Amino acid sequence: MFEYKKKSQIVILLILIIIFGINTNFFRNFLEVISQKFDDRITKKYGFCSQESIGYLVYLKKKYGIKDNPKIINYVHAPNVNWAIINTKNINKSSNKFILLNYPGSESKINLKKINNSLFELANAYFFSNDKFNKIESIEILNTSDNFKKINWELEILTIDKYKNKKIIKKFNIENILHENLEIKLNILNENLNLNEKKLYFKIKNKNTTNIENLKIYLIFKNKYILKDFQIIDKVDNCYYVK
């Protein structure tokens, strides 16, 4: 009787383990671990030269034996990836090298989030702070309708800090014939905007009856890192190791 009860408990335990393994994909994950190399699993999960680009960082560390903790700049909004390459023994050692992940080129064009017909927001403004970009080079206003009337607008650039304090940074009067691609040049340094703490908004005040419902606004950022200024050590797609 005791032996039968013990065997029954073992069978029940095995059934529970199997059910748990199926529900948590344990068996599939275990099969992937033993059938795929570590580098392949990392690339599959985090991308090689996309998103976190951990695959590229692991590749660089192996190929070049990196120990001096080069600065990593990822142009995609993703979690911090320093863990993939950091050398804790040289944590305070400075490096003259940089790793640029998902590099967009000398400029980056960002679509502003439309709050309403006249208000647009640079979402996650802190991401575009001056560790990646030197300045907002220009603003591009696109008209997607067939309305080509003469316009008379006022464009306000304003910030709102964490205490809900509003501050107008700059104003532009725009008088033009509204056409399909209207571009306005700006020259605003990011340190004046303090993007680490504030939200950045662009508000169009309509001084006439022109329809502004079909507008799109883009910011053109000037990249802080221009490739011609560096020596390229390694390149895969749009990921670079430079000094």
Side-chain angles (χ1 to χ4, degrees):
M1 184 70 179
F2 175 78
E3 288 294 329
Y4 175 78
K5 184 177 181 181
K6 187 176 181 180
K7 289 180 180 180
S8 299
Q9 290 175 341
I10 293 174
V11 170
I12 293 172
L13 180 61
L14 288 174
I15 292 173
L16 291 175
I17 291 174
I18 292 171
I19 293 173
F20 176 79
I22 293 173
N23 290 338
T24 60
N25 293 319
F26 171 81
F27 299 111
R28 187 178 68 182
N29 294 336
F30 179 73
L31 181 61
E32 289 183 357
V33 168
I34 62 175
S35 63
Q36 292 184 352
K37 294 180 179 179
F38 172 77
D39 291 1
D40 294 336
R41 298 199 308 272
I42 284 290
T43 298
K44 183 178 180 180
K45 183 172 179 60
Y46 298 104
F48 188 84
C49 185
S50 62
Q51 297 304 316
E52 290 98 326
S53 302
I54 299 298
Y56 184 65
L57 296 179
V58 172
Y59 152 80
L60 287 181
K61 190 170 185 177
K62 282 188 175 182
K63 182 175 181 179
Y64 298 98
I66 297 175
K67 297 180 180 179
D68 58 349
N69 298 326
K71 184 175 181 180
I72 301 171
I73 299 95
N74 192 353
Y75 289 87
V76 168
H77 197 185
N80 189 299
V81 295
N82 288 342
W83 60 267
I85 202 170
I86 194 169
N87 186 336
T88 55
K89 292 182 179 179
N90 296 321
I91 194 71
N92 296 317
K93 185 176 181 179
S94 60
S95 174
N96 66 340
K97 301 181 183 70
F98 300 87
I99 299 174
L100 309 176
L101 304 176
N102 305 294
Y103 183 75
S106 60
E107 295 180 343
S108 188
K109 186 174 181 178
I110 307 300
N111 185 12
L112 296 186
K113 179 182 177 181
K114 191 171 186 177
I115 306 300
N116 55 46
N117 287 336
S118 61
L119 185 64
F120 298 79
E121 177 190 2
L122 176 62
N124 301 315
Y126 67 91
F127 180 73
F128 303 96
S129 58
N130 56 15
D131 70 323
K132 300 179 185 71
F133 301 99
N134 278 332
K135 67 178 181 179
I136 301 171
E137 188 168 57
S138 63
I139 179 172
E140 189 176 287
I141 302 176
L142 298 181
N143 171 41
T144 59
S145 71
D146 295 326
N147 189 345
F148 296 100
K149 295 179 181 178
K150 186 174 181 178
I151 61 174
N152 184 10
W153 297 340
E154 181 180 77
L155 174 64
E156 285 185 353
I157 302 175
L158 53 107
T159 60
I160 300 177
D161 64 20
K162 58 186 177 183
Y163 302 108
K164 308 296 182 182
N165 296 318
K166 183 173 76 171
K167 180 181 179 182
I168 297 176
I169 301 297
K170 206 161 188 177
K171 289 184 179 182
F172 292 90
N173 289 316
I174 306 172
E175 295 184 15
N176 208 325
I177 300 297
L178 185 64
H179 51 81
E180 189 176 357
N181 188 341
L182 177 64
E183 184 175 357
I184 307 159
K185 292 291 183 181
L186 302 179
N187 184 14
I188 304 174
L189 297 179
N190 278 348
E191 56 259 34
N192 293 335
L193 297 176
N194 194 10
L195 296 181
N196 288 319
E197 297 182 2
K198 301 179 180 180
K199 293 185 176 181
L200 188 63
Y201 293 92
F202 294 75
K203 185 174 184 179
I204 293 179
K205 293 184 176 181
N206 195 3
K207 296 182 180 179
N208 56 17
T209 57
T210 308
N211 183 5
I212 61 173
E213 293 182 1
N214 297 296
L215 296 181
K216 292 183 179 180
I217 298 183
Y218 300 88
L219 293 185
I220 312 300
F221 284 87
K222 185 71 174 179
N223 205 323
K224 181 177 181 178
Y225 300 94
I226 307 299
L227 288 178
K228 67 181 181 63
D229 298 333
F230 296 90
Q231 176 188 339
I232 298 176
I233 303 171
D234 191 279
K235 173 189 180 302
V236 175
D237 295 333
N238 60 337
C239 290
Y240 295 83
Y241 181 35
V242 303
K243 68 175 181 179

